[in-house]
């Protein structure tokens, strides 16, 4: 008999409890009181449990009814979630959104976008990985990610489309006790070449044989920005960092900005782009997230 329970019966049960009477539940559900009473009587018969004490003017939940009410509410809520998700998927909403971020992209912008994403798409899982250089593009090319937030756009294969997001300011820095920190600027490339430059390395083959912003033949290569940041503050070399990452270090003197002759006087600006396959553009959730990453205000 339990297999014959219906979602409509559980919905009627919840409505009767919430409204306080069978007649009020009928009005809420748009059906006659007699149909509500019959539906609940069938539910009690099929479950073998008395849900209401009907000896008073208004029905009162029994102890067993109180226990089963929580399960009825959860079942009705799960059904509504199923219906909403099915509607969204039928309308083109992605079952999940997977993206890959360039390590240079400001994490505070990503965080604000994700905070807003959660209530906007509560049933859509969001998966994020962080890479650098060509390794940012690889997960998009092999279909593991819907889109990438990437710089170094000259490396893009022709099958990928791109949309501008924002520009990231990069600065060359060193610890205050590093020999370059006391060198009067602009510092020539020949002087930079005398010292170890800390460089992010590409974990893919897409940039094999190519260098970006490397001025010294003496390089230490690191796979993540956090390690590079720590090495720079420890005086193990000099190198480029996003300004938003080192702004506090520059303010408190833990790092010093280097005036490099080979770089533009106004600073080095790296454009960041949303990159995705032309034949597989992002769905509604992905497009919404791209808009958030593009329009979010910079950190004050």
């Amino acid at each position: 008999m339990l297999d014959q329970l219906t979602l409509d019966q559980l919905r009627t049960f919840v409505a009767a409890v919430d409204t306080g009477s069978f007649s009020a539940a009928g009005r809420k559900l748009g059906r006659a009181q007699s149909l509500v009473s019959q539906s609940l009587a069938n539910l009690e018969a099929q479950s073998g449990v008395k849900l209401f004490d009907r000896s008073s003017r208004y029905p009162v939940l029994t102890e067993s009814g109180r226990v089963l009410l929580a399960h009825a509410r959860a079942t009705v809520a799960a059904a509504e979630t199923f219906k909403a998700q099915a509607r969204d998927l039928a309308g083109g909403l992605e079952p999940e959104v997977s993206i890959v971020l360039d390590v240079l992209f400001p994490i505070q912008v990503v965080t604000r976008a994700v905070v807003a994403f959660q209530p906007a798409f509560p049933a859509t899982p969001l998966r994020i990985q962080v890479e650098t250089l060509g390794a940012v593009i690889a997960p998009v090319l092999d279909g593991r990610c819907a889109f990438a937030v990437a710089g170094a756009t000259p490396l893009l294969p022709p099958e990928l489309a791109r949309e501008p997001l924002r520009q990231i300011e990069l600065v060359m820095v060193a610890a205050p006790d590093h020999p370059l920190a006391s060198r009067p600027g602009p510092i020539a490339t020949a002087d930079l070449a005398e010292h170890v430059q800390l460089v992010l390395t590409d974990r893919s083959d897409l940039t094999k044989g190519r260098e970006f912003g490397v001025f010294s033949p003496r390089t230490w290569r690191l796979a993540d920005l956090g390690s590079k940041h720590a090495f720079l503050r420890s005086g193990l070399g000099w190198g480029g960092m996003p300004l938003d990452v080192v702004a506090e270090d520059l303010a408190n003197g833990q790092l010093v900005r280097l005036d490099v002759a080979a770089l533009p006087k106004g600073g080095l600006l790296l454009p960041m782009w949303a990159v995705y396959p032309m034949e597989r553009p992002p769905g509604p959730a992905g497009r919404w997230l791209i808009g958030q990453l593009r329009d979010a205000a910079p950190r004050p």
Side-chain angles (χ1 to χ4, degrees), residues 186-218:
I187 304 173
T189 301
D191 295 327
L192 296 173
E194 296 176 1
H195 303 277
V196 171
Q197 182 178 358
L198 302 178
V199 179
L200 289 175
T201 188
D202 193 345
R203 287 183 280 200
S204 78
D205 292 329
L206 293 178
T207 60
K208 189 174 183 179
R210 302 187 65 172
E211 299 281 18
F212 302 92
V214 177
F215 297 95
S216 174
R218 302 174 60 192

